[in-house]
Amino acid sequence: QVQLVESGGGLVQPGGSLRLSCAASTKIFTMYVMGWYRQAPGKQRELVATVASGFTTDYTDSVKGRFTISRDNAQNTVYLQMNSLKPEDTAVYYCNARHKLVPSLVYWGQGTQVTVSS
């Protein structure tokens, strides 16, 4: 069992920045592909970005050039730096851990609210 604890959400004005953090309770952090998902009211949860243990990253098109995902394997932590935030980025953001060899091992954080509004 892996516990994921997110932090860093909040209210920010359009054009502002926020940094989300997610700490994972596992001794084999490097066996997991880490990701951030988000879910806006009335919409399905969508993938925002992923980072593999070798630091390969992938982003959904709507955040490319504005968001940066990174991980610190020594601290078992994954980050999401969000710049140039837009109102449409408003959502609950969830941290996700997916074991790279056992696809059924998937864990979720509790979610953190990000609201972009003036």
Side-chain angles (χ1 to χ4, degrees):
Q1 186 77 9
V2 177
Q3 290 187 328
L4 303 174
V5 180
E6 301 123 331
S7 61
L11 173 64
V12 64
Q13 292 186 341
S17 298
L18 280 175
R19 188 193 197 203
L20 306 182
S21 300
C22 172
S25 64
T26 175
K27 294 182 180 179
I28 52 171
F29 185 66
T30 55
M31 293 300 293
Y32 289 89
V33 176
M34 301 301 297
W36 288 96
Y37 287 69
R38 66 186 179 186
Q39 187 167 18
K43 295 187 177 181
Q44 289 188 332
R45 190 172 298 190
E46 65 170 351
L47 176 64
V48 176
T50 60
V51 58
S53 58
F55 307 107
T56 301
T57 59
D58 192 22
Y59 298 90
T60 192
D61 286 346
S62 62
V63 307
K64 286 180 180 177
R66 300 189 298 122
F67 290 12
T68 302
I69 189 170
S70 61
R71 63 189 292 162
D72 184 336
N73 289 335
Q75 298 295 324
N76 288 4
T77 303
V78 62
Y79 304 97
L80 186 68
Q81 178 66 43
M82 305 184 292
N83 299 329
S84 302
L85 282 161
K86 304 176 181 179
E88 50 263 44
D89 294 317
T90 296
V92 178
Y93 284 70
Y94 296 91
C95 181
N96 171 274
R98 174 173 55 84
H99 197 285
K100 62 183 182 182
L101 298 179
V102 185
S104 61
L105 290 181
V106 178
Y107 302 97
W108 294 92
Q110 80 284 357
T112 185
Q113 177 70 46
V114 172
T115 302
V116 185
S117 175
S118 54

Coordinates of all heavy atoms in Angstrom, one line a residue, residues 58-102:
D58 N 5.7 13.6 -19.7 CA 4.6 13.7 -20.8 C 3.6 14.6 -20.2 O 3.3 14.6 -19.0 CB 4.1 12.3 -21.1 CG 3.2 12.3 -22.4 OD1 3.4 13.2 -23.2 OD2 2.4 11.4 -22.5
Y59 N 3.0 15.4 -21.2 CA 2.0 16.4 -20.8 C 0.8 16.3 -21.7 O 0.9 16.1 -22.9 CB 2.6 17.8 -20.8 CG 3.7 18.0 -19.9 CD1 5.0 17.8 -20.4 CD2 3.5 18.5 -18.6 CE1 6.1 18.0 -19.5 CE2 4.6 18.7 -17.8 CZ 5.9 18.5 -18.2 OH 6.9 18.7 -17.4
T60 N -0.4 16.7 -21.1 CA -1.5 16.9 -22.0 C -1.3 18.2 -22.7 O -0.7 19.1 -22.2 CB -2.8 16.9 -21.2 OG1 -4.0 16.8 -22.1 CG2 -3.0 18.1 -20.3
D61 N -1.9 18.3 -23.9 CA -1.6 19.5 -24.8 C -2.0 20.8 -24.1 O -1.2 21.8 -24.3 CB -2.4 19.3 -26.1 CG -1.8 18.3 -27.0 OD1 -0.6 17.9 -26.8 OD2 -2.4 17.9 -28.0
S62 N -3.0 20.8 -23.4 CA -3.5 22.1 -22.8 C -2.6 22.7 -21.8 O -2.7 23.9 -21.5 CB -4.9 21.9 -22.2 OG -4.9 21.0 -21.1
V63 N -1.6 22.0 -21.3 CA -0.7 22.5 -20.2 C 0.7 22.6 -20.7 O 1.6 23.1 -20.0 CB -0.8 21.7 -18.9 CG1 -2.2 21.5 -18.4 CG2 -0.1 20.3 -19.1
K64 N 1.0 22.1 -21.9 CA 2.4 22.2 -22.4 C 2.9 23.6 -22.5 O 2.2 24.5 -23.0 CB 2.5 21.5 -23.8 CG 2.4 20.0 -23.8 CD 2.4 19.4 -25.2 CE 2.3 17.9 -25.1 NZ 2.3 17.3 -26.5
G65 N 4.1 23.8 -22.0 CA 4.7 25.1 -22.0 C 4.3 25.9 -20.7 O 4.9 27.0 -20.5
R66 N 3.4 25.5 -20.0 CA 3.0 26.2 -18.8 C 3.2 25.4 -17.5 O 3.6 26.0 -16.4 CB 1.5 26.5 -18.8 CG 1.1 27.4 -20.0 CD -0.4 27.8 -19.9 NE -1.3 26.7 -19.9 CZ -2.2 26.5 -18.9 NH1 -2.3 27.3 -17.9 NH2 -3.0 25.5 -19.0
F67 N 3.0 24.1 -17.5 CA 3.2 23.2 -16.4 C 4.5 22.4 -16.5 O 4.9 22.0 -17.6 CB 2.1 22.3 -16.2 CG 0.7 22.9 -15.8 CD1 0.5 24.2 -15.9 CD2 -0.3 22.0 -15.4 CE1 -0.7 24.8 -15.5 CE2 -1.5 22.6 -15.1 CZ -1.7 23.9 -15.1
T68 N 5.1 22.2 -15.4 CA 6.3 21.3 -15.3 C 6.2 20.3 -14.2 O 6.0 20.6 -13.1 CB 7.6 22.1 -15.1 OG1 7.7 23.1 -16.2 CG2 8.8 21.2 -15.2
I69 N 6.3 19.0 -14.6 CA 6.3 17.9 -13.6 C 7.7 17.5 -13.3 O 8.6 17.5 -14.3 CB 5.4 16.7 -14.1 CG1 5.2 15.7 -12.9 CG2 6.0 16.1 -15.3 CD1 4.2 14.7 -13.2
S70 N 8.0 17.2 -12.1 CA 9.4 16.8 -11.7 C 9.2 15.9 -10.5 O 8.2 15.8 -9.9 CB 10.3 18.0 -11.4 OG 9.8 18.7 -10.3
R71 N 10.3 15.1 -10.2 CA 10.3 14.2 -9.1 C 11.7 14.3 -8.4 O 12.7 14.5 -9.1 CB 9.9 12.8 -9.5 CG 10.9 12.1 -10.5 CD 10.3 10.8 -11.0 NE 10.2 9.8 -10.0 CZ 9.5 8.7 -10.1 NH1 8.7 8.5 -11.2 NH2 9.4 7.8 -9.1
D72 N 11.7 14.0 -7.1 CA 12.9 13.9 -6.3 C 12.9 12.5 -5.8 O 12.1 12.2 -4.8 CB 12.9 15.0 -5.2 CG 14.2 14.9 -4.4 OD1 14.8 13.9 -4.4 OD2 14.5 16.0 -3.8
N73 N 13.6 11.6 -6.4 CA 13.6 10.2 -6.0 C 14.2 10.0 -4.6 O 13.9 9.0 -3.9 CB 14.3 9.3 -7.0 CG 13.6 9.2 -8.3 OD1 12.3 9.3 -8.3 ND2 14.3 8.9 -9.4
A74 N 15.0 10.9 -4.1 CA 15.6 10.8 -2.8 C 14.6 11.2 -1.7 O 14.6 10.7 -0.6 CB 16.8 11.7 -2.7
Q75 N 13.7 12.1 -2.1 CA 12.6 12.5 -1.1 C 11.3 11.9 -1.4 O 10.3 12.2 -0.7 CB 12.5 14.1 -1.2 CG 13.7 14.8 -0.9 CD 14.1 14.7 0.6 OE1 13.3 14.6 1.5 NE2 15.4 14.6 0.8
N76 N 11.2 11.0 -2.3 CA 9.9 10.3 -2.6 C 8.8 11.3 -2.9 O 7.7 11.1 -2.4 CB 9.5 9.3 -1.5 CG 10.3 8.1 -1.4 OD1 11.3 7.9 -2.2 ND2 10.0 7.2 -0.5
T77 N 9.1 12.3 -3.6 CA 8.2 13.4 -3.9 C 8.1 13.8 -5.4 O 9.1 13.7 -6.1 CB 8.6 14.6 -3.1 OG1 8.7 14.3 -1.7 CG2 7.6 15.8 -3.2
V78 N 6.9 14.1 -5.8 CA 6.7 14.6 -7.1 C 6.0 15.9 -7.0 O 5.3 16.2 -6.1 CB 5.8 13.6 -7.9 CG1 4.4 13.4 -7.3 CG2 5.7 14.0 -9.4
Y79 N 6.4 16.8 -8.0 CA 5.9 18.2 -8.0 C 5.2 18.5 -9.3 O 5.5 17.9 -10.3 CB 7.1 19.1 -7.8 CG 8.0 18.9 -6.6 CD1 9.1 18.1 -6.7 CD2 7.6 19.4 -5.4 CE1 9.9 17.9 -5.6 CE2 8.4 19.1 -4.3 CZ 9.5 18.4 -4.4 OH 10.3 18.1 -3.2
L80 N 4.4 19.5 -9.2 CA 3.8 20.1 -10.4 C 3.9 21.6 -10.3 O 3.1 22.2 -9.5 CB 2.3 19.6 -10.6 CG 1.7 20.1 -11.9 CD1 2.3 19.4 -13.1 CD2 0.2 19.8 -11.9
Q81 N 4.8 22.2 -11.1 CA 4.9 23.6 -11.1 C 3.9 24.1 -12.2 O 4.0 23.8 -13.4 CB 6.3 24.0 -11.5 CG 6.5 25.5 -11.6 CD 6.3 26.3 -10.3 OE1 6.8 25.8 -9.2 NE2 5.6 27.4 -10.3
M82 N 3.0 25.0 -11.8 CA 2.0 25.5 -12.7 C 2.1 27.0 -12.9 O 2.0 27.7 -11.9 CB 0.6 25.1 -12.2 CG 0.4 23.7 -11.9 SD -1.3 23.3 -11.4 CE -1.4 24.1 -9.8
N83 N 2.4 27.4 -14.1 CA 2.6 28.8 -14.4 C 1.5 29.3 -15.4 O 0.9 28.5 -16.0 CB 4.0 29.1 -15.0 CG 5.1 28.7 -14.0 OD1 5.0 28.8 -12.8 ND2 6.2 28.3 -14.5
S84 N 1.4 30.6 -15.5 CA 0.4 31.2 -16.4 C -1.0 30.5 -16.3 O -1.6 30.1 -17.3 CB 0.9 31.0 -17.9 OG 2.2 31.7 -18.0
L85 N -1.4 30.4 -15.1 CA -2.7 29.7 -14.8 C -3.8 30.4 -15.4 O -3.9 31.6 -15.5 CB -2.9 29.5 -13.3 CG -2.0 28.3 -12.7 CD1 -1.9 28.5 -11.2 CD2 -2.6 27.0 -13.1
K86 N -4.8 29.6 -15.9 CA -6.0 30.1 -16.5 C -7.2 29.6 -15.7 O -7.2 28.6 -15.1 CB -6.1 29.5 -18.0 CG -4.9 29.8 -18.8 CD -5.0 29.1 -20.2 CE -3.8 29.4 -21.1 NZ -4.0 28.7 -22.4
P87 N -8.3 30.3 -15.9 CA -9.6 29.8 -15.2 C -9.9 28.4 -15.5 O -10.4 27.7 -14.6 CB -10.6 30.8 -15.6 CG -9.9 32.1 -15.9 CD -8.6 31.6 -16.5
E88 N -9.6 28.0 -16.7 CA -10.0 26.6 -17.1 C -9.1 25.5 -16.4 O -9.3 24.3 -16.6 CB -10.0 26.4 -18.6 CG -8.7 26.9 -19.3 CD -8.9 28.3 -19.8 OE1 -9.4 29.2 -19.1 OE2 -8.4 28.5 -21.0
D89 N -8.0 26.0 -15.7 CA -7.2 25.1 -15.0 C -7.8 24.7 -13.6 O -7.3 23.9 -12.9 CB -5.8 25.6 -14.7 CG -5.0 25.8 -16.0 OD1 -5.1 24.9 -16.9 OD2 -4.4 26.8 -16.2
T90 N -8.9 25.4 -13.3 CA -9.6 25.2 -12.0 C -10.1 23.7 -11.9 O -10.8 23.3 -12.8 CB -10.8 26.2 -11.8 OG1 -10.3 27.5 -11.7 CG2 -11.6 25.8 -10.5
A91 N -9.7 23.0 -10.9 CA -10.1 21.6 -10.7 C -9.5 21.1 -9.4 O -8.7 21.8 -8.7 CB -9.5 20.8 -11.9
V92 N -9.9 19.9 -9.0 CA -9.2 19.2 -8.0 C -8.1 18.4 -8.6 O -8.4 17.7 -9.6 CB -10.2 18.2 -7.2 CG1 -9.4 17.5 -6.2 CG2 -11.3 19.0 -6.6
Y93 N -6.9 18.6 -8.1 CA -5.7 17.9 -8.7 C -5.4 16.7 -7.8 O -5.3 16.8 -6.6 CB -4.6 18.9 -8.8 CG -4.7 19.8 -9.9 CD1 -5.7 20.8 -9.9 CD2 -3.9 19.7 -11.1 CE1 -5.8 21.7 -11.0 CE2 -4.0 20.6 -12.1 CZ -5.0 21.6 -12.1 OH -5.2 22.4 -13.2
Y94 N -5.2 15.6 -8.5 CA -4.9 14.3 -7.8 C -3.5 13.8 -8.2 O -3.2 13.7 -9.4 CB -5.9 13.2 -8.1 CG -7.3 13.5 -7.7 CD1 -8.2 14.2 -8.5 CD2 -7.8 13.2 -6.4 CE1 -9.5 14.5 -8.1 CE2 -9.1 13.4 -6.0 CZ -9.9 14.1 -6.9 OH -11.2 14.4 -6.5
C95 N -2.8 13.4 -7.2 CA -1.5 12.7 -7.4 C -1.8 11.2 -7.7 O -2.7 10.6 -7.1 CB -0.6 12.8 -6.2 SG 1.0 12.1 -6.3
N96 N -1.0 10.6 -8.6 CA -1.2 9.2 -8.9 C 0.1 8.5 -9.0 O 1.1 9.0 -9.5 CB -1.9 9.2 -10.3 CG -2.0 7.8 -10.9 OD1 -1.0 7.4 -11.6 ND2 -3.0 7.1 -10.7
A97 N 0.1 7.3 -8.5 CA 1.3 6.4 -8.6 C 0.9 5.1 -9.3 O 0.0 4.4 -8.9 CB 1.9 6.1 -7.2
R98 N 1.7 4.8 -10.3 CA 1.4 3.5 -11.1 C 2.7 2.7 -11.2 O 3.7 3.2 -11.7 CB 0.9 3.9 -12.5 CG 0.7 2.7 -13.4 CD 0.0 3.1 -14.7 NE 0.7 4.2 -15.4 CZ 1.7 4.0 -16.2 NH1 2.2 2.8 -16.4 NH2 2.2 5.1 -16.8
H99 N 2.6 1.5 -10.6 CA 3.8 0.6 -10.7 C 4.1 0.3 -12.1 O 3.3 -0.1 -12.9 CB 3.5 -0.7 -9.9 CG 4.7 -1.5 -9.5 ND1 5.4 -2.2 -10.4 CD2 5.3 -1.6 -8.3 CE1 6.5 -2.8 -9.8 NE2 6.4 -2.4 -8.5
K100 N 5.4 0.4 -12.5 CA 5.8 0.3 -13.9 C 5.8 -1.2 -14.4 O 5.8 -1.4 -15.6 CB 7.1 0.9 -14.1 CG 8.3 0.4 -13.4 CD 9.5 1.2 -13.7 CE 10.8 0.7 -13.0 NZ 11.9 1.6 -13.3
L101 N 5.8 -2.2 -13.4 CA 5.8 -3.6 -13.8 C 4.5 -4.3 -13.5 O 4.2 -5.3 -14.1 CB 6.9 -4.3 -13.2 CG 8.3 -3.8 -13.5 CD1 9.4 -4.6 -12.8 CD2 8.6 -3.9 -15.0
V102 N 3.7 -3.7 -12.6 CA 2.4 -4.4 -12.2 C 1.3 -3.3 -12.4 O 1.0 -2.5 -11.5 CB 2.5 -4.8 -10.7 CG1 1.2 -5.6 -10.3 CG2 3.7 -5.7 -10.4

